[in-house]
Amino acid sequence: MPVNAVGREIPREIDGRKLIPFGGAYARGPEGKLHAPKIPPLIKPGESKVLPSLDDAIEKAGIADGMTLSFHHHFRDGDMLVNMVLERLAKKGIKDLKMAHIALFPVHEPLVKYIADGTITSTEGSLNGPTGRAISMGKMKGLATLRSHGGRVRAVKAGEIEIDVNFIAAPTADTYGNCNGFWGKSPCGPLSYAMIDAEHADKVIAVTDNLVPYPALPFSIPQTHVDYVTTVEKIGIPEKIVSGTTQITRSPARLKIARLAIQLIKDAGYIKDGMSFQAGAGGVSLAATKFLGDMMRKEGVKGSFAMGGTTRYVTDLLKEGLIKTIFDAQLFDLYALESLRNNPDHVEVSSEMYADIHTKGAIVNRVDVSFLGATEIDIDFNVNVNTHSDGWLLHGTGGHQDVAAGSDFTMILAPSFRGRIPVITDRVTTVTTPGESIDAIVTERGIAINPRREDILDRLHGSPLPIMPIESLLKKVQKITGAPEKPEFEDRIVAVIEYRDGTVIDVLRQKKMR
Amino acid sequence: MPVNAVGREIPREIDGRKLIPFGGAYARGPEGKLHAPKIPPLIKPGESKVLPSLDDAIEKAGIADGMTLSFHHHFRDGDMLVNMVLERLAKKGIKDLKMAHIALFPVHEPLVKYIADGTITSTEGSLNGPTGRAISMGKMKGLATLRSHGGRVRAVKAGEIEIDVNFIAAPTADTYGNCNGFWGKSPCGPLSYAMIDAEHADKVIAVTDNLVPYPALPFSIPQTHVDYVTTVEKIGIPEKIVSGTTQITRSPARLKIARLAIQLIKDAGYIKDGMSFQAGAGGVSLAATKFLGDMMRKEGVKGSFAMGGTTRYVTDLLKEGLIKTIFDAQLFDLYALESLRNNPDHVEVSSEMYADIHTKGAIVNRVDVSFLGATEIDIDFNVNVNTHSDGWLLHGTGGHQDVAAGSDFTMILAPSFRGRIPVITDRVTTVTTPGESIDAIVTERGIAINPRREDILDRLHGSPLPIMPIESLLKKVQKITGAPEKPEFEDRIVAVIEYRDGTVIDVLRQKKMR
């Protein structure tokens, strides 16, 4: 079996699908042309797009066995639409569906039975929680393909995912299909991830709980892409967009990680006018964002933009003038929503503009500093965010590969171990993001800089920070946790981990049950 | 030769290009797939898009003999970029270019010599003034193809126009290619017509006289489409966007036309809450817009949206709350620009969303009432906007076909004659828009309603308006002007007038010179 650039064996093909082994972050040049969507049927003036019910929309869209359906994930664990649609399709006895969602969450546990009974036979999106676990157990007939946010856009544009029907959970839609997530009783903010699907899908159904007269503004998804509009009682629960914490971590160890990270970017020379960054929504990221603001204020620095999951902490930086723009593809709290609604410098961007390698330059290319997470990091700086060290598939890739490849200084902020399971390891269970894209690992027990970044190591010469080789960090951790038990797998491959350029960075095998 | 649905003889092919005769406004169903743009070359983080000069950009883009170049026309008669680029290419001795501009104006007279000397051998855009005249005289080697705004979008999307290099005259651009027309020393407002070209062109060059730090907002053209950015001293003269008048007409006859038109839409039942309209920027249109506002105010009606060339008169209706939205693809004065910049209900839209028949419903489909112009109108209600009665090709199609096909009640507002040349005629010199899309003709001497609109005729029963059959209107006019002299043509076809769906509604032959 060929071995790819991060040392993983990648089969030449699985079930007739040819796999291209990952060759390096920018090794694969673009070839050929983009996918050409069908020219849609003529919609004459006066024709209505509004259908009385979701059932009618499903009927009208002609969903049949073997089709590919897509959904966006802005409601995250508060989404109600995926379950609603799949329940109806299962009841109709439709089989062999390909789910091209962006991401599933614990709320989508009902899909486990549809995976097991063959209603769903393959997936093309992130799997957070129960659906991932079911696939790890080998319950799905076909393959799961995991992609980064940018990689998924690329795959849709390349025609590797051909969407038959795209469902948009639309917090606001007008009678001609213009949709946004800004307003209504269930606002989710941007509809960024839905944009590319709406552009390429054969049929697009906007499902809303806030149908308004024409025209709805902004038209995050424009009328030109939408076939049908229908209403349901409720599409999602905004309060559940953040299933975890929206609070800055109180753990002293994690606060320490955030403080070290900010001192690191200071010492590495990134605190300067025009700086840009990407931050997530976890407790450590929130702390890092807050400390970054403190540092910028102290140093009298004005930044350029922030990209990423938008929280009140980032929003406050914009309000204060410490950054001049927020690019938003997913927001996490209502405070950020108010900013998106009212501040012209807080703008919605498509996932394509955010992260797609097959554009003439995505936003990630312009990020100076990024704070990312990991379930595991190994001595080659490879990062795993998809599986746990026990081998369960439990998380999606998100923007991890994209941001790591794009940003100039990519830091992984992670505790050195979690509940006696080491995060620093000799070899990650699954490679999500190649070590070449990772510049630093910041743990409460020390910082490791990727030796490829000699420039950074030079700049850090004389820094009081606890900088050490990754091997030393690994030893320190293993002294506490012992060497971890490695999970065992069956032969069958259940998931393919694609890199953002469409090559395969790793595969995941069915977990061996004891 | 086959005869099309408006009675014009259309050759089966010209120079190897097959022509499909026009069969009716919605007769041609969509077939096949859209054009697939090439996947662009990888742009890695840290790579710069900024080039020192326009010459460098031309060099880098690799412009060669036979290529297709595109330009947008938001500066209209104030554009400086087209001449700048063509002068450089002509100097380099490049030949056989296809100009896929949106529209040329009198300022582009220098292109006449490039047409005559074979630098330019065919055109795919509107021709207003000298370039049209040159083509009428047979000076161009190949064909001119005229399309509506929506039709041009369709042709680009269908791959019928394959753009090698797209030039964007960008009033503001950042270093990574995000462009807008809102700010800078030469603002033009929307960049709507440039959007589809930037999306489909192989190479996109943003040329600006206001290069700003990343990121420029709004990104009317996003960085994801732009290859190179370069600067010139000045890209265009905003004051010349309106080459004609921005004043309401003072001609009593034209004021009468505007008044009659507003009374007509009142009597026909269109003055009601939620109404929408399209209005242009000519003197009569401005008057009609103003009178429409007066009527809405008087009747206590609140409208939905206005689409079209945006002027202060439309902007005032938004400000007053008489309409709730302006969709803007081209603006005509700085007053409207202030509104576009500051009023979130005044929004930029792509020409695709405005007018393209190959979408799932363009904005024109939602227009209730439109006011359009004509150089000639015949007894079948066919309208000519491209040529004059003397046979010279002097005007582009603009959104005429699109709006006429989309809007529920399409009115032509025109004087019955101009300088003793009748506007109402037995047979128009060239058909731009089919009579089936025209509902009423309003002149100072009377109003003709298309007999197809029995519903309107019923509603107008008892109206005091001077409604008469088109034949009576023609007789009235001919009594004053006499029967007009018909122009004479050579055999050679110099221009193809496409309908918005890609079929051919008419052809234009070389003008016979005395």
Side-chain angles (χ1 to χ4, degrees), chain B residues 129-142:
Chain B
T131 47
R133 188 178 291 270
I135 288 164
S136 270
M137 290 167 77
K139 287 194 179 176
M140 190 162 71
K141 188 182 168 205

Side-chain angles (χ1 to χ4, degrees), chain B residues 226-261:
Chain B
V226 177
D227 295 88
Y228 310 118
V229 181
T230 195
T231 52
V232 293
E233 179 56 34
K234 192 146 175 72
I235 56 166
I237 304 163
E239 296 69 27
K240 290 197 180 168
I241 289 175
V242 178
S243 36
T245 176
T246 43
Q247 298 297 317
I248 285 184
T249 180
R250 285 188 192 163
S251 139
R254 292 179 187 210
L255 283 170
K256 185 177 173 190
I257 295 169
R259 281 213 182 80
L260 285 173

Side-chain angles (χ1 to χ4, degrees), chain A residues 324 366, chain B residues 48-54 168-181 183-187 205-217 223 226-235:
Chain A
K324 65 173 197 170
R366 301 289 305 198
Chain B
S48 170
K49 296 185 181 181
V50 180
L51 295 175
S53 72
L54 182 56
I168 298 168
T172 289
D174 70 31
T175 52
Y176 215 49
N178 293 295
C179 302
N180 68 64
W183 315 101
K185 66 178 178 184
S186 317
I205 302 172
V207 183
T208 189
D209 52 13
N210 183 43
L211 183 66
V212 299
Y214 186 86
L217 295 184
Q223 62 189 56
V226 177
D227 295 88
Y228 310 118
V229 181
T230 195
T231 52
V232 293
E233 179 56 34
K234 192 146 175 72
I235 56 166

Side-chain angles (χ1 to χ4, degrees), chain A residues 23-268:
Chain A
Y26 291 98
R28 187 189 187 200
E31 280 165 34
K33 294 194 164 193
L34 297 173
H35 168 249
K38 279 187 205 153
I39 297 176
L42 288 186
I43 294 188
K44 294 181 198 168
E47 287 179 11
S48 171
K49 296 185 180 181
V50 180
L51 295 174
S53 74
L54 182 56
D55 289 302
D56 293 296
I58 287 170
E59 198 60 36
K60 198 101 186 217
I63 299 178
D65 290 4
M67 280 193 174
T68 300
L69 310 183
S70 89
F71 298 86
H72 68 95
H73 74 308
H74 291 92
F75 280 105
R76 303 175 74 87
D77 208 35
D79 174 70
M80 297 171 75
L81 185 60
V82 169
N83 292 346
M84 256 188 262
V85 171
L86 269 292
E87 193 192 339
R88 281 167 171 78
L89 297 177
K91 208 174 271 174
K92 289 166 84 89
I94 290 175
K95 293 287 173 192
D96 195 23
L97 293 170
K98 181 176 282 189
M99 276 290 284
H101 55 271
I102 316 281
L104 296 178
F105 291 87
V107 67
H108 302 114
E109 182 152 21
L111 269 59
V112 169
K113 64 174 180 291
Y114 306 137
I115 285 171
D117 73 9
T119 306
I120 295 165
T121 50
S122 66
T123 62
E124 301 269 350
S126 287
L127 302 157
N128 301 291
T131 46
R133 190 178 288 271
I135 288 164
S136 269
M137 291 168 75
K139 289 194 174 175
M140 190 163 70
K141 188 181 168 206
L143 270 182
T145 305
L146 300 190
R147 294 185 180 90
S148 69
H149 286 323
R152 185 181 182 288
V153 171
R154 187 206 57 76
V156 170
K157 284 167 58 183
E160 291 162 23
I161 304 175
E162 281 204 83
I163 303 165
D164 293 298
V165 184
N166 167 228
F167 287 88
I168 298 168
T172 290
D174 71 31
T175 52
Y176 215 49
N178 293 294
C179 302
N180 68 64
F182 284 43
W183 314 102
K185 65 179 178 182
S186 317
C188 66
L191 291 179
S192 309
Y193 294 101
M195 294 174 182
I196 201 76
D197 292 17
E199 210 174 303
H200 285 264
D202 268 10
K203 294 287 174 198
V204 177
I205 302 172
V207 184
T208 190
D209 53 12
N210 183 41
L211 183 64
V212 300
Y214 184 88
L217 296 185
F219 42 83
S220 303
I221 307 286
Q223 64 189 52
T224 45
H225 296 327
V226 177
D227 295 88
Y228 310 117
V229 181
T230 193
T231 52
V232 294
E233 178 56 31
K234 191 147 175 72
I235 56 166
I237 304 165
E239 296 71 26
K240 290 195 180 171
I241 289 176
V242 178
S243 36
T245 176
T246 41
Q247 298 298 315
I248 286 184
T249 181
R250 288 190 191 161
S251 142
R254 295 184 185 208
L255 283 170
K256 187 177 171 190
I257 295 168
R259 280 212 184 80
L260 286 173
I262 300 307
Q263 192 59 46
L264 176 61
I265 63 171
K266 168 72 171 58
D267 293 358

Side-chain angles (χ1 to χ4, degrees), chain B residues 406-484:
Chain B
S407 69
D408 194 64
F409 189 55
T410 302
M411 288 175 293
I412 302 296
L413 274 57
S416 59
F417 60 91
R418 291 187 180 97
R420 305 213 73 81
I421 307 289
V423 170
I424 312 289
T425 175
D426 57 339
R427 179 182 158 90
V428 290
T429 308
T430 310
V431 185
T432 308
T433 298
E436 66 170 294
S437 295
I438 307 298
D439 301 297
I441 290 163
V442 183
T443 74
E444 81 291 356
R445 284 196 155 63
I447 295 171
I449 306 291
N450 191 326
R452 296 164 57 106
R453 289 303 298 264
E454 287 176 26
D455 58 330
I456 299 285
L457 285 164
D458 282 353
R459 274 183 257 158
L460 290 172
H461 195 77
S463 162
L465 287 167
I467 293 163
M468 62 192 71
I470 182 104
E471 293 79 4
S472 313
L473 201 49
L474 175 65
K475 265 185 215 154
K476 268 184 134 180
V477 177
Q478 289 198 338
K479 208 176 276 179
I480 302 166
T481 63

Side-chain angles (χ1 to χ4, degrees), chain A residues 25-47 49 158 162 175-176 178 198-199 201-204 213-217 219 222-227 304-305 324-325 327 344-350 352-354 357-366 405-407, chain B residues 25-47 49 158 162 175-176 178 198-199 201-204 213-217 219 222-227 304-305 324-325 327 344-350 352-354 357-366 405-407:
Chain A
Y26 291 98
R28 187 189 187 200
E31 280 165 34
K33 294 194 164 193
L34 297 173
H35 168 249
K38 279 187 205 153
I39 297 176
L42 288 186
I43 294 188
K44 294 181 198 168
E47 287 179 11
K49 296 185 180 181
E162 281 204 83
T175 52
Y176 215 49
N178 293 294
E199 210 174 303
D202 268 10
K203 294 287 174 198
V204 177
Y214 184 88
L217 296 185
F219 42 83
Q223 64 189 52
T224 45
H225 296 327
V226 177
D227 295 88
S304 165
F305 71 90
K324 65 173 197 170
T325 303
F327 287 125
D345 295 318
H346 184 160
V347 294
E348 183 177 16
V349 295
S350 68
E352 182 183 20
M353 183 162 168
Y354 165 35
I357 192 175
H358 280 179
T359 61
K360 294 172 179 173
I363 291 169
V364 295
N365 282 9
R366 301 289 305 198
S407 69
Chain B
Y26 291 98
R28 187 189 185 199
E31 280 165 33
K33 295 193 164 193
L34 297 174
H35 169 250
K38 280 187 204 152
I39 297 176
L42 288 187
I43 293 188
K44 293 180 199 168
E47 287 179 8
K49 296 185 181 181
E162 281 203 85
T175 52
Y176 215 49
N178 293 295
E199 210 174 303
D202 268 9
K203 294 289 174 199
V204 177
Y214 186 86
L217 295 184
F219 41 83
Q223 62 189 56
T224 46
H225 296 328
V226 177
D227 295 88
S304 166
F305 72 91
K324 65 175 195 168
T325 303
F327 287 125
D345 295 319
H346 184 161
V347 294
E348 183 177 14
V349 296
S350 67
E352 181 182 19
M353 182 160 169
Y354 164 37
I357 191 174
H358 281 179
T359 61
K360 291 171 179 174
I363 291 170
V364 294
N365 281 10
R366 302 289 304 199
S407 69

